[in-house]
């Protein structure tokens, strides 16, 4: 038996992949599947626009982008849920000479690496997105990027896991790993002990606090708060995912336009604040004044799982059988399909030298200073539960 702790997009993707490989897998979720960061995110699939520098990490992000069409198609076939994948490009807009020069340099750097990207003149960027304000100077377009509706993707993965016979224990309450000095033995829940040959920690921003993990195998996960809002948009007002200085915009097929996101060092606080919304709306309205009359449909906040060095943890820890899959920070939705393959390969004993930079063992036993207390984390969940009620 393999137990996956946490039913966000990462845990559910891993469980789904393991089930396809005929593993006996069970997911244990403390609260509700797919309702934490995986629900709060914007769903952008944007390794180039996110400015990931050329590295093993960028290779992983690009592999994930390429994996998405078959991942979404297969999940739809298995679950009946369309995750609304749209890879029709991301538009970035510049509003002064410095921003234009930065976009030019960004496109030039992508072209050198044969990544599809092009500069847009003022007329071209306004032709692509007519709602852009008159002060736009130029733009950039990366045609292979896009977005997925991460809330739908969570539902698709949940249904696909159930369809494949994966057992998902929800609201499992207090959960602790049990281990002897050498290896993991299983997971203790309020309903009893679940023996396991391997346990995958996919508990997102909470992964560093999982009870029962011996100190030598514990890694620090740094919470990063993100606030967002959605506007009710007339169909077609904004067509592409757009980046403007200070905010990004993500059109959904259901008529909402997401505006995101703050990046805040605020522990596990998920309050939506006046300053957070004000900052996002200022940036969005200065780029697209036409958004000013739209109704605010929804506001929310979530907690990204960050790491001290900015790289995810993907792989085996120094405790035999204990595997970590978290720390995806701003790219966890993008990285879900490749994370699932990576962790399933590791659990099958396949060699994956490409994953060496992401080994959790690089960070074991060095919890970050100022890690939040568990009590703060419980308050976060109370707030999330209230918002989603
Ligand atoms: C505002 C915002 C915008 C974002 N935008 C994007 C984007 O555009 N593109 C992108 O790729 N990424 C984006 N992200 C990042 C992405 O959402 C995350 O990296 C990703 O969702 C992490 O998934 P996860 O499954 O690791 O964590 P989560 O979705 O947080 O899931 C972790 C799960 O573990 C459970 N859990 C916690 N502790 C325990 C325990 N002890 N026992 C059992 N279960 C436990 C939790 O209840 C939760 O369900 C964004 C994030 C935010 C907040």
């Amino acid at each position: 038996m393999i137990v996956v702790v946490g039913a966000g997009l990462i845990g559910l993707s891993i469980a789904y992949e393991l089930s396809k490989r005929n593993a006996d897998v069970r997911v244990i979720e403390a609260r509700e599947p797919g309702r934490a960061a995986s629900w709060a995110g914007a769903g952008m699939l944007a390794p180039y626009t996110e400015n990931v520098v050329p590295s093993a990490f960028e290779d992983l992000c690009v592999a994930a982008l390429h994996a998405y069409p078959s991942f979404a198609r297969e999940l739809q076939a298995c679950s009946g849920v369309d995750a609304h994948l749209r890879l029709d490009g991301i538009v970035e807009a510049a509003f002064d000479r410095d921003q234009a020069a930065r976009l030019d340099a960004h496109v030039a750097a992508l072209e050198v690496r044969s990544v599809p990207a092009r500069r847009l003149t003022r007329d071209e960027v306004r032709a692509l997105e007519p709602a852009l304000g008159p002060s736009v100077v130029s733009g950039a377009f990366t045609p292979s990027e896009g977005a997925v509706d991460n809330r739908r993707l969570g539902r698709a993965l949940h249904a696909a896991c159930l369809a494949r016979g994966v057992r998902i224990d929800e609201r499992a309450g207090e959960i602790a790993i049990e281990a002897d000095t050498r290896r993991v033995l299983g997971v203790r829940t309020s309903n009893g002990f679940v023996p396991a040959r391997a346990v995958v920690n996919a508990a997102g921003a909470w992964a560093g606090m999982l009870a029962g993990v011996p100190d030598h195998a514990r890694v620090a996960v740094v919470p990063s708060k993100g606030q967002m809002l959605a506007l009710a948009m007339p169909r077609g007002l904004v067509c592409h995912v757009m980046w403007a200085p200070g905010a990004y915009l993500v059109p959904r097929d259901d008529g909402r336009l997401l505006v995101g996101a703050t990046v805040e060092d605020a522990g596990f606080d998920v309050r939506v604040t006046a300053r957070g919304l004000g900052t996002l709306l200022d940036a969005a309205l200065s780029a697209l004044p036409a958004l000013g009359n739209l109704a605010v449909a929804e506001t929310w906040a979530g907690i990204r799982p960050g790491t001290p060095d900015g790289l995810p943890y993907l792989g085996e820890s120094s405790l035999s059988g204990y595997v970590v899959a978290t720390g995806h920070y701003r790219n966890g939705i993008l990285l879900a399909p490749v994370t699932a393959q990576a962790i399933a390969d590791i659990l099958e004993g396949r060699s994956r030298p490409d994953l060496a930079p992401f080994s959790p063992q690089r960070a074991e036993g060095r919890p970050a200073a100022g890690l939040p207390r568990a009590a703060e984390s419980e308050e976060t969940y109370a707030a999330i539960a209230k918002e989603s009620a």
Side-chain angles (χ1 to χ4, degrees):
M1 162 77 72
I2 298 170
V3 170
V4 178
V5 176
L9 289 179
I10 296 298
L12 290 173
S13 299
I14 292 168
Y16 175 70
E17 180 66 26
L18 286 169
S19 75
K20 281 181 7 190
R21 301 187 190 194
N22 295 321
D24 185 12
V25 54
R26 177 163 166 181
V27 180
I28 300 184
E29 163 59 49
R31 293 110 189 167
E32 205 183 326
R35 290 300 300 212
S38 298
W39 175 90
M44 286 180 298
L45 308 176
Y48 307 122
T49 304
E50 278 274 355
N51 275 317
V52 178
V53 291
S55 59
F57 183 56
E58 193 206 43
D59 293 346
L60 199 67
C61 290
V62 171
L65 181 64
H66 292 151
Y68 245 92
S70 59
F71 181 56
R73 215 173 22 247
E74 190 186 308
L75 283 174
Q76 183 171 3
C78 187
S79 68
V81 181
D82 179 351
H84 291 184
L85 174 67
R86 282 176 49 180
L87 294 177
D88 53 2
I90 295 185
V91 174
E92 224 177 322
F95 292 83
D96 63 30
R97 278 170 47 185
D98 286 352
Q99 290 163 15
R102 195 191 62 71
L103 282 192
D104 284 352
H106 178 57
V107 170
L110 292 175
E111 281 171 344
V112 166
R113 291 154 49 215
S114 304
V115 175
R118 64 175 201 269
R119 291 175 192 78
L120 301 172
T121 63
R122 178 175 189 276
D123 288 348
E124 286 169 338
V125 71
R126 291 196 83 195
L128 266 183
E129 290 295 346
L132 271 166
S135 56
V136 68
V137 171
S138 68
F141 187 57
T142 43
S144 59
E145 298 182 306
V148 68
D149 184 331
N150 40 296
R151 295 181 185 177
R152 295 183 70 92
L153 182 68
R155 292 206 292 279
L157 271 165
H158 187 222
C161 281
L162 294 178
R164 294 203 57 88
V166 175
R167 173 166 171 186
I168 302 177
D169 298 343
E170 302 183 17
R171 303 182 198 283
E174 293 292 307
I175 288 154
I177 293 226
E178 291 207 0
D180 62 19
T181 50
R182 218 180 46 78
R183 64 164 301 111
V184 83
L185 302 171
V187 173
R188 174 134 336 251
T189 76
S190 34
N191 294 324
F193 178 66
V194 183
R197 76 168 173 87
V199 174
V200 181
N201 181 348
W206 298 265
M209 297 184 287
L210 183 57
V213 177
D215 284 348
H216 70 84
R218 194 171 281 283
V219 287
V221 178
V222 183
S224 162
K225 174 178 177 180
Q227 301 187 48
M228 293 192 61
L229 61 108
L231 301 172
M233 177 181 73
R235 209 157 279 281
L237 183 66
V238 172
C239 301
H240 299 87
V241 174
M242 284 192 50
W243 276 45
Y248 56 71
L249 305 167
V250 183
R252 289 280 194 247
D253 290 353
D254 63 7
R256 290 179 317 141
L257 179 66
L258 310 194
V259 183
T262 64
V263 177
E264 298 167 67
D265 178 7
F268 284 85
D269 169 27
V270 283
R271 288 173 310 124
V272 174
T273 63
R275 180 174 294 116
L277 294 185
T279 312
L280 295 172
L281 283 170
D282 279 350
L285 294 185
S286 91
L288 292 96
L291 304 183
N293 276 330
L294 303 187
V296 175
E298 192 187 350
T299 63
W300 67 93
I303 311 291
R304 307 173 186 92
T307 60
D309 64 6
L311 296 179
Y313 301 127
L314 303 174
E316 288 174 295
S317 71
S318 58
L319 176 68
S320 183
Y322 175 56
V323 172
V324 186
T326 192
H328 298 79
Y329 188 45
R330 290 172 64 109
N331 288 295
I333 299 163
L334 170 66
L335 289 168
V338 292
T339 297
Q341 282 159 11
I343 299 299
D345 283 351
I346 287 165
L347 288 166
E348 283 184 341
R350 294 195 202 177
S351 167
R352 288 288 304 260
D354 58 315
L355 299 176
F358 312 114
S359 167
Q361 297 187 38
R362 75 186 187 277
E364 282 180 347
R366 277 183 279 135
L371 272 184
R373 292 165 294 116
E376 282 181 34
S377 151
E378 285 313 313
E379 283 160 21
T380 302
Y381 259 105
I384 290 175
K386 215 166 105 202
E387 280 214 350
S388 36

